Amino acid sequence: MDFEEILVETDRLVFPALAAGDGPVVVCWHGFPDHPATFGPLAQHLVAAGRRVVAPFLRGHHRATAHDMTYADGLTLAADGAAVARALDPPVDMFGHDIGAGIVQRVAAAWPELVRRGAAGAVPAPAAVGAMLTDPAQLQRLFYLFLFQLPGLPEALLATDRRLVDHLWATWSPNLDPGEHRERVHALYGDPVLSGNALRIYRGNFDTSLHDPRLAALAARSEAPAPDPLLLLAGADDGCVDPRWFTHDGLAPGSRVELVEGAGHFLHLERPDEVARLLLDWFTS
């Protein structure tokens, strides 16, 4: 897919984004350790179906926004997602993967008027997250979450040679060869400022000094179940989040949960045809 890089001007920040196609917009939010270009194979199918794909870089994940990461909590990222949706003539269809899945779920909960149809990949509904964090086997899969709380060590690991990035990709999607995307992902997280921003997102899960106090009043709403149906997608071979956590618990009536066979965590890159089919069916239903 030949993306063009565009700028999405919002009332919060100017977001660099990759874009392709014409028609109704599908906003695609990436996760970690990832890059918006990995939506390329999926975008090829969506564009062929008459959609315009806009895949922004997360705040702090592009040199243009490298120093715009004062706050790094999930609600800050969700407010970014809402701002991008407003700038793209809402309501928009939205798909998020990994960290991006959290963006979609929070935008759908706190700003439902901005999301026409929302879909989240590789992260279950908020109702499952609390239970996940009490399960020893799942906690073992999430070792990186706790590693990233340490001062200095994860920065050094990412700066040295990106073997940690390769390990996460290999264990989360054991049958995937990332090909050309490996170089892109390595370049992004080989930049110490950008990788430091990614670490701040994970530290924001526990460090309330990284939470934007101006958004505090929205926290209860953003963490509640979305009032409208969502589509949850899980890879059957996901080595990061056990697919058994993907249930309808806490989802609005009419929501769907789909298991994608032959895919791990990076399901949009492993099975772009099937993920596109599920998304297009969801967006048009």
Side-chain angles (χ1 to χ4, degrees), residues 22-237:
D22 295 297
V25 171
V26 180
V27 182
C28 295
W29 287 100
H30 70 90
F32 170 89
D34 208 350
H35 187 289
T38 67
F39 286 117
L42 175 64
Q44 203 157 11
H45 293 279
L46 298 179
V47 168
R51 308 304 294 262
R52 176 165 175 78
V53 174
V54 177
F57 286 81
L58 293 176
R59 173 186 292 264
H61 284 62
H62 187 284
R63 288 306 307 176
T65 64
H67 301 291
D68 293 300
M69 201 77 178
T70 303
Y71 300 108
D73 58 309
L75 188 46
T76 289
L77 300 180
D80 290 345
V84 167
R86 285 192 202 96
L88 295 175
D89 192 19
V92 298
D93 292 322
M94 195 178 291
F95 173 58
H97 173 257
D98 192 80
I99 291 172
I103 291 176
V104 172
Q105 293 184 36
R106 288 185 173 97
V107 174
W111 298 275
E113 71 281 2
L114 300 178
V115 182
R116 200 187 71 83
R117 282 294 221 178
V123 172
V129 174
M132 281 172 52
L133 295 179
T134 66
D135 180 72
Q138 181 58 53
L139 289 174
Q140 186 175 24
R141 293 173 180 239
L142 298 176
F143 79 93
Y144 64 97
L145 175 64
F146 306 104
L147 169 65
F148 290 168
Q149 307 309 311
L150 299 176
L153 178 59
E155 285 88 346
L157 286 172
L158 288 169
T160 302
D161 54 19
R162 264 73 68 209
R163 277 186 297 167
L164 176 60
V165 169
D166 289 341
H167 174 76
L168 295 178
W169 274 69
T171 54
W172 292 358
S173 283
N175 299 314
L176 173 65
D177 177 2
E180 62 182 341
H181 297 297
R182 183 176 184 271
E183 185 177 341
R184 290 191 180 98
V185 173
H186 274 219
L188 195 161
Y189 296 100
D191 184 317
V193 177
L194 303 188
S195 61
N197 287 338
L199 294 173
R200 285 169 68 80
I201 291 175
Y202 285 96
R203 290 166 180 163
N205 290 316
F206 303 99
D207 183 354
T208 57
S209 71
L210 295 174
H211 294 197
D212 188 345
R214 297 168 298 179
L215 299 173
L218 288 168
R221 212 163 80 212
S222 70
E223 303 310 308
D228 297 319
L230 292 172
L231 170 66
L232 294 190
L233 301 178
D237 304 318

